[in-house]
Amino acid sequence: MTKPKLPSDFLWGFATASYQIEGGPSDDGRGPSIWDKFCQIPGKIADGSSGDVACDSYHRVDEDIALLKQIGAKAYRFSISWSRVIPLGGRDDLINERGLQYYVDLVDSLLAVNIVPVITLFHWDLPAALDDRYGGFLNKAEFVADYTRYARVMFEALGSKVRHWITFNEPWCSTILGYNTGLFAPGRTSDRTKSPVGDSSREPWIAGHNILIAHGSAVKLYRDEFKWRSGGEIGITLNGDWVEPWDASSSADVEACERKLEFAVSWFADPIYHGHYPASMLAQLGDRLPTWSAEDLALVKGSNDFYGMNFYTANYIRHRAGTPELEDFLGNLECLFVNREGKIIGPDTQSVWLKPYPIGFRKMMNWLSNRYEKPKIFVTENGTSLKGENGFSKEEILEDDFRVNYFEDYIAAMTDAIVEDGIDCRGYMAWSLMDNFEWAEGYETRFGVTYVDYKGGQKRYPKKSAQAIGKIFDSLIKE
C-alpha cells in the first residue's frame, strides 16, 4: 500500500472548455465566437466539423454532474463562453441572463454535491463581434475595457460562491496559433495561402501584451471588490513543454533550451512575476515587443495568486545559427522529438505535438519554482491522446491502458516534485473529463477519460482511466 504523501486538501479533478463541450451555439441567445466563424472556413478543421453539438453539455448539466460524482472528482475546471453571457461581448452590450443562469446553475449543482468549481473566464472563444469591431486582442483600450466588464459580470454573479478563478487559458495558443501560424481562430497570419490578413512578425506580440494587461485589470478588480466575499484566488494558466538539448554536449543547445522556455512561458510569466519581458525576447524582437507603461505594468506585476500550469510533453531543442526569421516565435531554434543519438523522447500519441515524458513534468515544476520564487501552483491541465483511438471499437476505447499509464507516471512525477523537491503544488486537473471537440483536429483526436459516442446521442461511458485517477489520488492523499 502506497504511503499517503499529499495533504488532505489537495484539490484534484477534471477540466473542460466551453466551446469544446457545450454545443448550443445559438441556444437561449448565445452569440457567435471567433471559433464558430473559424470552423465555417473550409479546410481549417481536420474533419470539417465544429463545436455546434460537441458533447451537448449545455443541455446535460445533470448528466455531467452525475459523471463527475461517479468518478469521485473533488473539483471541476470549466470555462465560460463569453458570447453566451454577453452575446456581442462589449462593455455597453446587453447581458444575456439566460446564458449567465446556465453557469450559475452549473456552479450551484457542483456545490450541492461538494465538487469545487474552478472557473476559467477565457478559453480561446472570443466573441466574434469584438474581433469584427476592433480586431479583438489587437486593440488594447477596447479589449481591456470589454474583458474587464465581462469579468465583473461573472464576479458579481459568482464571486461569493467560487473561490478559484483563472483569467486566461494558454495565451500562447491564442496569440501564436491565432496570429502567427493561423492554425487557430481568428486565423491571422502573414502566409497569404492561409489568410488575406495578418502580420506574423508583430501581431502575436501585440496580442500577448494586451492579454496580459486585461489579465492584470481583471485581477485588480477581483482583489479590490470581490476577493473578500469568499477569500478566493485568481491567476493565469500558461502552457509550456519541457526541453532537453538535442546535443547534451553543446552549450548552444543548452542555451537554446532556456530560450525556448522563455519564449513559451516567460513571455507571460516574467512580466507577472518580475515586471519585464525576458532579455532573450527583447534581444531578438526589438521594438516588435511592446513596451510597458508604468500604469500597465502596475496592473500586471504581482497579478498572480497562483500559477496555473498546463503540461503535456517535451522536446529536444537544437539551436539555429544566424539571424532568426521575422516570423520566428520559438527563439531561433528547432523543436524535435529525436536527439543526436537517435533517442526518441517518448511514445507516439494521436497528437503530433505530444509524446509522453513524465520526468519532464517534475523538471518543469522545478524550473518554474526556481525562476518565480516558489509560487503556488495548480496543475490545470494534464493528459494525453491515444494513437488511433478514434478508430477503435467502443470496447477497446474503454480499455485505455496507455492513458492510465500516462496518468500514473505523470502524477507520480508531480508527487515527487511536491514531496522530495518541496514544490508548492496544491491541485491537479486531468484533461479532459470527456472526449470533445479538439480544435483544429476536430473529433479525430480524443483526450477524454470518458468516451463520448458522437453517433449515439453523445452518451457518456467512463473509460478505465476515469476510475484510475481517483484510485491514484486515494492512495496518495492523507485522510
Side-chain angles (χ1 to χ4, degrees), residues 149-174:
R149 188 267 188 149
Y150 159 59
R152 176 181 289 280
V153 170
M154 297 313 305
F155 296 153
E156 287 176 346
L158 293 168
S160 62
K161 299 178 180 181
V162 175
R163 298 188 66 252
H164 306 280
W165 295 88
I166 297 164
T167 53
F168 288 89
N169 178 79
E170 297 185 346
W172 185 95
C173 294
S174 294

Side-chain angles (χ1 to χ4, degrees), residues 59-125:
H59 304 107
R60 297 171 186 251
V61 170
D62 291 345
E63 198 171 330
D64 289 350
I65 299 294
L67 172 63
L68 286 159
K69 190 174 180 181
Q70 177 187 348
I71 59 182
K74 306 301 181 187
Y76 179 43
R77 178 192 170 213
F78 62 93
S79 77
I80 308 295
S81 167
W82 183 345
S83 63
R84 196 179 292 286
V85 175
I86 308 172
L88 296 179
R91 56 196 178 277
D92 297 319
D93 294 319
L94 293 176
I95 297 170
N96 177 25
E97 296 296 343
R98 290 177 297 177
L100 180 59
Q101 192 61 44
Y102 166 72
Y103 297 108
V104 173
D105 291 344
L106 175 56
V107 166
D108 287 344
S109 297
L110 289 166
L111 294 174
V113 293
N114 296 314
I115 296 174
V116 176
V118 179
I119 289 183
T120 304
L121 289 171
F122 185 87
H123 198 129
W124 305 352
D125 45 353

Side-chain angles (χ1 to χ4, degrees), residues 140 144 209-210 212-214 216-217 271 291-301 303:
K140 183 181 83 169
V144 171
H209 191 78
N210 295 340
L212 275 169
I213 297 165
S217 178
T291 56
W292 290 103
S293 70
E295 180 183 10
D296 290 341
L297 191 58
L299 287 174
V300 173
K301 188 178 181 183
S303 59

Side-chain angles (χ1 to χ4, degrees), residues 180-209:
N180 180 291
T181 66
L183 295 174
F184 277 13
R188 296 176 66 94
T189 176
S190 293
D191 184 346
R192 292 294 171 254
T193 67
K194 294 180 180 179
S195 172
V197 293
D199 181 351
S200 299
S201 70
R202 289 187 178 273
E203 289 185 355
W205 318 116
I206 295 168
H209 191 78

